[in-house]
Amino acid sequence: MHSVPCSNCRYFTGDYRLKCTVQPSIAQTEEAIDCSDYRPIPGFSFHSQDTI
């Protein structure tokens, strides 16, 4: 699940009833790994400078 980007996408809601507003059927699944609608949350970085 670490490579599933949903929780860092601007369309991810975090609500179990509608996890994603664009691709709800694949949200939080392996199918979402290459989601064409993925848009990162502005300012989010997978590599925090605190870990350097």
Side-chain angles (χ1 to χ4, degrees):
M1 287 295 273
H2 296 291
S3 59
V4 178
C6 296
S7 60
N8 305 317
C9 180
R10 68 176 61 210
Y11 302 121
F12 184 71
T13 66
D15 186 326
Y16 74 93
R17 294 169 289 187
L18 180 66
K19 294 177 184 176
C20 175
T21 58
V22 180
Q23 296 281 356
S25 63
I26 67 168
Q28 294 294 93
T29 68
E30 289 186 7
E31 290 180 70
I33 291 172
D34 294 319
C35 181
S36 61
D37 293 307
Y38 174 76
R39 298 295 180 271
I41 297 171
F44 178 82
S45 173
F46 280 110
H47 304 287
S48 172
Q49 289 184 343
D50 294 338
T51 60
I52 297 175

